[in-house]
Amino acid sequence: MSLSINIRQMNDVSVMDVTGRITLGDDARTLRDMLLTMPKEGHKKILLNLAEAAYIDSSGLGVLVSGFASMTNQGGQLKLLNLTKRVRDLLLITKLFTVFEVFDDEELALRSFAEVAVQAPGAVA
């Protein structure tokens, strides 16, 4: 099953619904390219919905990490939604679970973007 990505706008958050396998080759490259170009096109808040991501290999993990770094460096945010048990376990084993903000509820995830925007620079949380 090849990777398919559907993007939908929820206010100022771009929700990327990922279906399939994020593995070495075209699939990982497709996701990487999208995560690199979206902030350049003004999409600074990305919620990556992995509910239908059947499998992620080490190349796919690399894409998530580089996408996170790229978004952060460009003043954006990348958060993860609806991890499958397999993907959640993989992130826990690799200790990447602590890098990402991970949500099981889309509404809470969307609100988390707004909460960050409300905080003033230099404000103490």
Side-chain angles (χ1 to χ4, degrees), residues 43-88:
H43 302 275
K44 298 283 187 175
K45 299 176 182 179
I46 297 178
L47 183 60
L48 196 58
N49 182 4
L50 298 173
E52 299 297 322
Y55 182 78
I56 297 179
D57 68 4
S58 59
S59 178
L61 283 178
V63 166
L64 294 181
V65 172
S66 67
F68 178 84
S70 176
M71 286 295 297
T72 302
N73 289 337
Q74 295 181 58
Q77 298 173 283
L78 174 65
K79 300 181 183 190
L80 305 181
L81 174 66
N82 294 328
L83 302 181
T84 63
K85 180 178 178 355
R86 171 174 270 175
V87 172
R88 182 178 294 273

Side-chain angles (χ1 to χ4, degrees), residues 45 79 103 108 110-120:
K45 299 176 182 179
K79 300 181 183 190
F103 296 88
L108 286 176
L110 293 171
R111 281 201 310 254
S112 77
F113 285 100
E115 290 167 3
V116 170
V118 169
Q119 292 180 357

Side-chain angles (χ1 to χ4, degrees), residues 6 15 17 24-25 30 37 41 44 46 50-51 53 67 76-77 79 85 88 93 101-102 108 111 114 117 124:
N6 178 54
V15 180
D17 297 312
L24 180 65
T30 299
T37 58
E41 296 171 352
K44 298 283 187 175
I46 297 178
L50 298 173
Q77 298 173 283
K79 300 181 183 190
K85 180 178 178 355
R88 182 178 294 273
I93 289 168
E101 280 189 71
V102 178
L108 286 176
R111 281 201 310 254
V124 178

Side-chain angles (χ1 to χ4, degrees), residues 1-6 16-22 49-54:
M1 170 190 249
S2 66
L3 185 72
S4 85
I5 301 170
N6 178 54
M16 297 175 68
D17 297 312
V18 178
T19 303
R21 299 167 60 92
I22 306 171
N49 182 4
L50 298 173
E52 299 297 322

Side-chain angles (χ1 to χ4, degrees), residues 61 65 87-99:
L61 283 178
V65 172
V87 172
R88 182 178 294 273
D89 289 347
L90 187 59
L91 289 178
L92 286 169
I93 289 168
T94 58
K95 306 223 184 299
L96 290 173
F97 198 82
T98 59
V99 172

